[in-house]
């Protein structure tokens, strides 16, 4: 597998970004839902700190991924009606937006609540604004609603990937999976 993407397939870097981030985001989302239900304790503080550190890592990876995307090639879309290609573009843009907006809203909530912020106990990060109880309540809602919006967009995203694989039987999913090979016949079709 080459490092760079080409017109036919995603390269190693794009695939690693996709799957590492997908895993981190899903784990951190479930983690977030579970941690808010915990009774107050010392371990709850550690659990929150880990959630924030993973979320900040997602934010940093998201920025690196977007920078890489500007530099990397982009595989041509498999043949599909125009409305589906437009829907895919909008969904992907929405996912990129949420990858950045969810951690940023968490950081905003943390700042407005006046909590300190560290990345895996390695270094401190600054507050995004002064402490403000009203803003903290808004930011908390924004963080939570953006997460549920992500879940909704992901249902469409995963549904579309499975439709391409099982109904259209094209290479859309195979060319993004870590070790899968393209179907040779579909490759010929999409080249012609
Ligand atoms: C991948 C990124 C992230 C995801 C998917 C995520 C998701 C979530 C979810 C689902 C919740 C539970 C919401 C609820 O039911 O009330 C939550 C809570 C929370 N998140 Fe995040 N989060 C992310 C990043 C961050 C970051 C970067 C920070 C801070 C720097 C942060 C701070 C918090 C805090 C403090 C809460 C608790 C809110 C409360 O007290 O109710 N999150 N997050
Ligand atoms: C939190 C989870 C996920 C996020 C945030 C996410 C995000 C994204 C983004 C932003 C892209 C566009 C890549 C680009 O154009 O640069 C993409 C592509 C893709 N994703 Fe996901 N994804 C997630 C989970 C999944 C899952 C679970 C599947 C499969 C079942 C999947 C299948 C795909 C496929 C096949 C593509 C390539 C589409 C194409 O070549 O046009 N994704 N994903």
């Amino acid at each position: 597998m080459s490092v760079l993407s080409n017109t036919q397939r995603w390269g190693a870097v794009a695939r690693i970004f996709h799957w590492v981030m997908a895993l981190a985001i899903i784990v951190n989302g479930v983690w977030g839902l579970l941690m808010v239900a915990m009774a107050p304790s010392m371990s709850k503080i550690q659990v929150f700190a880990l959630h924030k550190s993973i979320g900040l890592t997602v934010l940093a990876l998201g920025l690196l991924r977007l920078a890489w995307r500007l530099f990397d090639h982009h595989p041509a879309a498999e043949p599909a009606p125009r409305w589906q290609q437009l829907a895919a573009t909008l969904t992907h843009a929405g996912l990129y937006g949420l990858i950045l907006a969810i951690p940023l809203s968490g950081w905003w909530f943390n700042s407005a609540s006046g909590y300190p912020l560290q990345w895996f106990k390695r270094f401190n990060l600054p507050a995004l604004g002064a402490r403000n109880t009203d803003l903290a309540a808004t930011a908390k809602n924004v963080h939570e609603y953006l997460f549920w919006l992500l879940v909704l967009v992901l249902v469409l995203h995963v549904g579309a990937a499975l439709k391409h694989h099982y109904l259209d039987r094209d290479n859309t999913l195979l060319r993004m999976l870590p070790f899968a090979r393209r179907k040779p016949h579909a490759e010929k079709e999409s080249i012609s």
Side-chain angles (χ1 to χ4, degrees):
M1 197 197 303
S2 65
V3 171
L4 289 170
S5 308
N6 60 35
T7 53
Q8 294 297 314
R9 63 196 78 215
W10 292 99
V13 175
R15 292 189 204 198
I16 290 169
F17 267 132
H18 181 273
W19 292 109
V20 168
M21 291 189 68
L23 185 71
I25 292 167
I26 292 166
V27 166
N28 215 32
V30 175
W31 190 271
L33 293 174
L34 294 176
M35 76 182 191
V36 292
M38 283 175 74
S41 66
M42 279 312 283
S43 56
K44 183 169 182 176
I45 296 171
Q46 307 289 327
V47 167
F48 267 56
L50 193 56
H51 174 80
K52 295 177 200 175
S53 296
I54 295 172
L56 290 169
T57 310
V58 167
L59 177 61
L61 287 176
L63 293 171
L64 287 175
R65 181 173 174 187
L66 279 171
W68 177 258
R69 198 182 191 281
L70 290 176
F71 164 80
D72 194 18
H73 305 281
H74 194 275
E78 294 283 331
R82 233 184 104 65
W83 73 266
Q84 284 183 21
Q85 301 200 359
L86 183 66
T89 306
L90 290 177
T91 309
H92 294 164
L95 286 170
Y96 276 122
L98 289 166
I99 285 171
L100 302 182
I102 293 175
L104 278 173
S105 61
W107 191 347
W108 178 33
F109 168 61
N110 201 70
S111 310
S113 306
Y115 301 142
L117 184 59
Q118 284 189 331
W119 186 76
F120 293 110
K121 295 186 183 165
R122 298 270 161 190
F123 55 85
N124 296 322
L125 282 123
L128 295 180
R131 186 176 180 160
N132 180 320
T133 330
D134 293 338
L135 266 187
T138 307
K140 180 174 171 302
N141 287 335
V142 169
H143 191 56
E144 188 181 347
Y145 292 146
L146 286 181
F147 172 74
W148 289 114
L149 180 61
L150 172 73
V151 171
L152 191 73
V153 179
L154 275 180
V155 169
L156 299 176
H157 181 61
V158 174
L162 297 178
K163 176 206 170 269
H164 275 284
H165 192 68
Y166 291 108
L167 298 182
D168 303 337
R169 295 175 182 273
D170 66 21
N171 273 311
T172 304
L173 180 58
L174 289 177
R175 71 187 190 178
M176 183 50 104
L177 287 176
F179 303 110
R181 293 177 67 84
R182 290 177 63 96
K183 292 179 198 156
H185 70 280
E187 186 156 326
K188 270 191 226 122
E189 277 163 19
S190 63
I191 290 169
S192 59

